[in-house]
Amino acid sequence: MSPNRILMPWALGLVLALTLPAAAEMELATNFWNMAWQRPADAFWDCNAVKGDDPWNPRFLRNIAIYRAFRFMDWGDHTSRKWTDRNPRANPKQNPVAYEWMIDLCNRMNADMWITIPHPSINRDTGDQPCDYVVRLCILAKTGVDMKAVELKPHLDRLASMTAEDFIAAGG
């Protein structure tokens, strides 16, 4: 096999073959995540005692420094129905990993964030209204403010123009 060819196994026995240019010429705008980095324990000093402003394992940060997009599919919560059910940043046990830590990692590494929304958080009862869980996640990603259980309906018409200070004043 050519040194510039990588085979990546995917679900259902399919194999995706990527032909890569020489490493010196390669644009690193794509996320080629190391398959060994599946658990939060690989990223944090200790995923059962996450605390402080910089809980990241320096070796992990060095390893991911070349990537510009991080996909957090297996790190996130897949079972929460409500925003208040999710694992918060303040919880020392980070498995699943809190969105705040995912955002911190992306900001720290200047990378784009790709996350998976828990499917139970979306249901047909919302009609054409935005999913509450997703709205709260967007507010958190944009402003860093966790709206917790604050009622958002009174603010829906002006969400796009609200600042972090506005969200904090609204109870976040």
Side-chain angles (χ1 to χ4, degrees), residues 54-117:
D54 188 6
W56 304 105
N57 181 334
R59 181 172 172 235
F60 174 74
L61 296 179
R62 282 191 306 275
N63 286 342
I64 66 170
I66 62 172
Y67 303 113
R68 294 294 162 248
F70 301 142
R71 183 177 183 198
F72 293 103
M73 182 174 161
D74 294 329
W75 277 22
D77 179 4
H78 300 286
T79 61
S80 291
R81 290 186 182 280
K82 298 182 297 185
W83 183 253
T84 54
D85 295 340
R86 72 185 185 89
N87 192 25
R89 177 186 174 129
N91 184 355
K93 184 170 173 60
Q94 288 297 314
N95 192 3
V97 177
Y99 292 117
E100 291 91 339
W101 287 120
M102 294 179 202
I103 293 166
D104 179 86
L105 181 63
C106 289
N107 287 339
R108 188 178 299 269
M109 304 305 293
N110 194 29
D112 292 331
M113 181 177 179
W114 179 3
I115 58 164
T116 303
I117 304 299

Side-chain angles (χ1 to χ4, degrees), residues 109-132:
M109 304 305 293
N110 194 29
D112 292 331
M113 181 177 179
W114 179 3
I115 58 164
T116 303
I117 304 299
H119 70 276
S121 69
I122 301 171
N123 63 53
R124 70 179 100 204
D125 298 334
T126 60
D128 64 350
Q129 295 300 309
C131 169
D132 182 76

